[in-house]
Amino acid sequence: MIHHLRAAGTSFVLDARGTGVPVVIHWGSDLGALSPAALDALADSQVPAVGPSSIDSPLRQSILPVMADGWSGRPGIAGHHESATSCAPAFVLSADELIEAVSLADPVEAGLRITLAAASLEVRVDIELSRDGVLRQRIAVTNTGDDTYSLASLDATLPIPARARELLDFTGRWPRERQPQRRDLANGTWTRDSRHGRPGHDNAFLMVAGTPGFAFRTGEVWGAHVAWSGDQRLWAESGSTGLGLLGGGELLDPGEVRLATGETYESPWLVSAYSDAGLDGLAGSFHRFIRSRRALSTRKVMLNTWEAVYFDQSAERLIELADAAADVGVERFVLDDGWMIGRTDDRRALGDWIVDPVKWPDGLHPLVDHVLDRGMDFGLWVEPEMVSLDSAVAREHPDWVLGAGADSGADSDADGTLPLPWRFQQVLDLANPEAFAHVHAQLVALLREYPIAYLKWDQNRDLLGGSAHRHTAATYRLMDALRAEFPALEIESCSSGGGRVDLGVIERTDRVWPSDTNDSLERQSIYRWTAGLVPPEFLGAHLGAATAHTTGRTHELSFRLATALFGHAGIEWDVTTLEPHERDAVGEWVAAYKRYRGLLHSGDVVRSDAGDAARWVHGVVAADAASALFAVVAMTATRDAVVGPATLPGLDPDALYRVEPVRLGAWPRVVQDAMPPWWAEGSVTMTGRVLASVGIPMPLLAPEQALVLEVTRVE
Ligand code: DGJ
């Protein structure tokens, strides 16, 4: 039959008539209600002409493109039975079922399960369209032959139309993650591979194909993301066949997945969406989808100790810091790296998750008790997947170090050669059940001894060996086990900053650390692009010291406060050193964050396309459009002395709004002889339509300054 899944402005039509692999007829704009006869007519009408010098039947883009169907582009599945001479399976459809939901308790509008069979293989394709228009696909392959099947790749694919000829994806480095790159989609394959054992700082993150010139608020866009925290591949392809596709899946090493008879490999989800309203439309669908699956607790203002004290820990010093944090309104105190036995620097002690009796003679109790007394809850940094060679665990169990022990478990591919050290550390072979049990037991002991509300789960190196597949699966198992045993526990995913920001880890964590930089200028762009997929409430945003530790750039407090307001706010600064006026400013900012977080963590992210390229405007508009918070940001010196009005998109066009500047600690620095006259009134009132299309003249901000605007519907 023909399946038509519809939700939130999106249609997905799959022609599963006959015995061939089902063909994707459409993924894109909503086609409206179509009767079975209309669907038949649609599917029939889309059969293309037979091209010259080609197979003798029309070439179709199936849900699993393979050579046996005439497909000469990248295949959906590649692999071989080890004794076989041919590796080109020919699939037939064995079942297509409409199902309510194929995964957990999801807000799924419609789900489909397609089963395909070839000689010695069975493939299951799960397709879900969520109520928010997010399309997910996951593929499982089972070896039904007598011989071992070695899987090379298994990618979910989706068609993109010929008019989607421009591509956007991301790259980056520590600590400048998720920077956009754009290009035309010419014939060929644009592939982004991640081989870090984690997505990595240069991860493609989200691949978007769109109509030329697509922008935040305009254009048709089709975007895809691989929801997996290990090696992965995301790609777009266009060929002389006239067909184009987006694809993605786990990146497997040769021999990494070898399926014995009856064994199954299941791919991660390829999470995709379509919008006719540009990148903000995509972000809206992704955010609503993620929010419907993960109900987060109120995002407490936290203080993280890392850039405040680094490894210089003592109860006295940290109690003083906790007091200063509580005084400005902090609600969660997170003790970062340096608390474990012998951890005087980053060269030792990973893997020994025991409190250092030298730095902490009475354990963490004096600090934790004090933190709780001051009305905050307590969080602790851990890096459970890692081991220092200078640690008790590595000395007692050298074979638990990834790559070290040739006998470290049935799955092990260790040959006794350690991967190159990275940040002076190695990986603990979590796929080894004994190593897993060790770290699990140590973490459980900590969680039982101390009232730990929050773990900052760090991961500071590329794997460079072993199996990224097995390591990632074991990491997920460890996170899942702890979450099951401690249901109130929150986890932050950190990986040298933003090396592991993906929807696989977000299924099991409550926050990601987008970057190690607290430099506000860097953070503006990291937030701008990371929020294109991940909702702001998951994105840690810290107020750092005036001179950023990662860049040496100095920013005024008001810019740092305005930047760290958008996201899950925190402080990573030695607040015991603050001048009284700084303390007052930080206290006001914390109060403002608490006032606005309900809006910031539930509304729609909007990013304006208009204006001087040096001036960015972004905001969050409440779901009912009754209020909004915007930031007007001078990223560099503007081209013109007087920049035109700033437009505020995304509001209800017919409603009237009052726009008021918000003083965060101090007003931003300006370079002008006089303010725009409306400033003297304290606010300006206009319709949403006028705000979006005409805008408001702004004070002329100096470079690296931001002005926050509160927008309230008045009628
Ligand atoms: C890297 C993280 O990204 C930092 O925030 C900090 O936790 C350090 N590791 C600690 O070693």
Side-chain angles (χ1 to χ4, degrees):
M1 71 180 281
I2 301 177
H3 300 282
H4 184 195
L5 311 186
R6 289 177 69 203
T10 298
S11 277
F12 177 82
V13 182
L14 190 74
D15 183 355
R17 298 174 299 181
T19 55
V21 180
V23 168
V24 185
I25 301 290
H26 173 81
W27 170 48
S29 58
D30 183 13
L31 301 180
L34 294 172
S35 65
L39 281 174
D40 276 338
L42 168 70
D44 290 345
S45 72
Q46 296 308 304
V47 179
V50 176
S53 186
S54 79
I55 55 169
D56 296 337
S57 50
L59 180 67
R60 314 299 308 279
Q61 191 172 321
S62 82
I63 198 72
L64 189 72
V66 289
M67 194 192 289
D69 293 325
W71 185 254
S72 53
R74 176 170 287 176
I77 184 168
H80 69 287
H81 281 93
E82 292 183 352
S83 64
T85 48
S86 159
C87 52
F91 288 97
V92 293
L93 176 65
S94 44
D96 60 312
E97 306 163 66
L98 250 188
I99 41 186
E100 286 298 311
V102 285
S103 57
L104 307 169
D106 282 347
V108 168
E109 187 68 25
L112 268 177
R113 174 163 287 182
I114 306 292
T115 312
L116 308 168
S120 306
L121 287 181
E122 184 178 275
V123 163
R124 194 192 75 220
V125 186
D126 290 337
I127 305 165
E128 294 180 350
L129 185 64
S130 82
R131 288 182 197 135
D132 313 294
V134 168
L135 190 80
R136 298 201 303 169
Q137 267 190 84
R138 177 177 66 183
I139 312 181
V141 58
T142 302
N143 180 10
T144 53
D146 300 331
D147 184 16
T148 300
Y149 180 72
S150 192
L151 181 67
S153 66
L154 186 62
D155 286 357
T157 55
L158 284 165
I160 47 173
R163 62 187 182 280
R165 277 297 168 266
E166 194 170 332
L167 280 184
L168 163 73
D169 67 344
F170 296 87
T171 184
R173 63 166 172 85
W174 180 88
R176 189 168 163 73
E177 296 85 343
R178 285 168 297 286
Q179 299 302 307
Q181 48 181 10
R182 288 180 83 134
R183 71 201 59 247
D184 289 338
L185 176 58
N187 277 5
T189 311
W190 173 247
T191 302
R192 296 297 315 286
D193 286 357
S194 165
R195 296 175 196 278
H196 302 286
R198 51 179 172 172
H201 298 88
D202 60 351
N203 178 232
F205 185 55
L206 178 67
M207 192 170 282
V208 180
T211 47
F214 68 82
F216 288 124
R217 311 287 306 170
T218 59
E220 275 192 293
V221 281
W222 291 257
H225 165 88
V226 178
W228 182 246
S229 306
D231 289 355
Q232 55 189 269
R233 171 173 282 175
L234 193 55
W235 49 280
E237 185 171 273
S238 165
S240 61
T241 56
L243 297 172
L245 60 171
L246 280 176
E250 186 177 4
L251 184 61
L252 301 173
D253 271 343
E256 191 172 19
V257 174
R258 295 175 72 246
L259 301 176
T261 303
E263 285 185 342
T264 299
Y265 164 87
E266 186 174 79
S267 77
W269 289 103
L270 183 72
V271 181
S272 358
Y274 160 80
S275 171
D276 61 2
L279 296 169
D280 281 357
L282 274 191
S285 293
F286 288 131
H287 292 181
R288 283 188 282 279
F289 170 71
I290 294 164
R291 285 171 173 161
S292 66
R293 296 174 59 81
R294 298 296 324 281
L296 297 181
S297 62
T298 300
R299 313 281 65 209
K300 294 187 172 179
V301 187
M302 64 167 64
L303 182 134
N304 176 290
T305 61
W306 181 239
E307 288 194 353
V309 302
Y310 292 103
F311 293 104
D312 182 17
Q313 296 187 358
S314 69
E316 194 185 17
R317 175 92 171 84
L318 286 156
I319 284 173
E320 195 195 353
L321 187 60
D323 277 333
D327 289 345
V328 293
V330 165
E331 300 164 299
R332 171 170 290 163
F333 187 87
V334 181
L335 182 65
D336 209 281
D337 192 0
W339 57 268
M340 309 94 70
I341 185 163
R343 182 77 167 166
T344 47
D345 58 21
D346 57 7
R347 297 181 177 222
R348 62 207 85 245
L350 293 176
D352 295 341
W353 304 107
I354 296 166
V355 178
D356 187 1
V358 177
K359 291 183 193 171
W360 300 97
D362 300 311
L364 298 177
H365 290 288
L367 173 65
V368 176
D369 293 349
H370 194 79
V371 163
L372 265 52
D373 282 351
R374 292 299 316 259
M376 299 179 285
D377 68 23
F378 182 74
L380 190 66
W381 176 95
V382 290
E383 196 177 356
E385 302 156 62
M386 295 294 153
V387 62
S388 306
L389 293 186
D390 184 0
S391 66
V393 68
R395 277 186 288 273
E396 282 162 34
H397 303 282
D399 56 315
W400 290 359
V401 180
L402 188 77
D407 57 352
S408 62
D411 268 344
S412 174
D413 40 6
D415 63 0
T417 312
L418 294 190
L420 288 171
W422 180 307
R423 205 194 187 207
F424 316 104
Q425 66 195 50
Q426 292 289 344
V427 179
L428 188 73
D429 184 4
L430 277 188
N432 176 334
E434 289 174 16
F436 183 99
H438 162 85
V439 70
H440 174 255
Q442 287 200 330
L443 293 177
V444 166
L446 281 166
L447 291 164
R448 292 215 173 111
E449 180 169 0
Y450 299 103
I452 295 170
Y454 182 91
L455 285 181
K456 175 177 173 184
W457 186 300
D458 209 345
Q459 196 280 25
N460 282 305
R461 64 161 292 159
D462 283 9
L463 251 51
L464 304 181
S467 161
H469 173 74
R470 286 193 286 274
H471 180 83
T472 307
T475 300
Y476 283 175
R477 274 203 306 281
L478 187 55
M479 287 181 175
D480 292 345
L482 293 174
R483 277 160 41 88
E485 289 160 83
F486 302 91
L489 179 70
E490 293 185 29
I491 302 180
E492 172 179 13
S493 164
C494 172
S495 183
S496 320
R500 188 149 73 184
V501 178
D502 63 82
L503 299 189
V505 88
I506 280 179
E507 289 280 312
R508 33 187 64 84
T509 55
D510 305 83
R511 187 195 216 229
V512 291
W513 184 226
S515 179
D516 266 348
T517 190
N518 292 315
D519 176 321
S520 298
L521 195 65
E522 300 295 331
R523 276 306 185 115
Q524 284 290 340
S525 81
I526 292 167
Y527 169 83
R528 183 178 182 83
W529 296 108
T530 310
L533 175 71
V534 182
E537 61 271 25
F538 285 89
L539 303 177
H542 288 179
L543 171 65
T547 299
H549 294 200
T550 51
T551 60
R553 217 186 251 136
T554 299
H555 287 124
E556 286 174 30
L557 184 55
S558 71
F559 184 47
R560 285 143 56 215
L561 294 173
T563 303
L565 186 66
F566 289 82
H568 177 189
I571 300 175
E572 196 171 336
W573 183 17
D574 184 356
V575 282
T576 62
T577 63
L578 267 48
E579 299 294 336
H581 73 276
E582 290 176 317
R583 200 163 42 241
D584 291 348
V586 174
E588 277 173 33
W589 169 77
V590 168
Y593 168 76
K594 290 176 181 171
R595 210 164 52 243
Y596 294 127
R597 66 184 158 192
L599 159 67
L600 289 169
H601 299 163
S602 64
D604 294 337
V605 167
V606 296
R607 295 160 291 178
S608 169
D609 290 309
D612 187 303
R615 187 182 67 187
W616 291 0
V617 177
H618 67 88
V620 178
V621 176
D624 62 0
S627 58
L629 204 67
F630 280 89
V632 178
V633 186
M635 293 295 291
T636 66
T638 53
R639 187 195 61 187
D640 302 324
V642 180
V643 186
T647 51
L648 307 181
L651 299 161
D652 176 352
D654 298 320
L656 203 56
Y657 291 95
R658 187 178 59 243
V659 181
E660 292 165 277
V662 179
R663 186 177 183 279
L664 277 182
W667 291 113
R669 183 184 297 275
V670 291
V671 185
Q672 62 188 10
D673 289 346
M675 281 286 193
W678 70 264
W679 187 272
E681 306 294 321
S683 70
V684 62
T685 300
M686 289 181 183
T687 63
R689 181 174 284 107
V690 174
L691 287 168
S693 55
V694 180
I696 315 172
M698 286 292 138
L700 303 175
L701 301 179
E704 300 173 16
Q705 302 286 329
L707 176 65
V708 173
L709 301 169
E710 181 175 4
V711 180
T712 313
R713 187 163 63 200
V714 290
E715 70 181 45

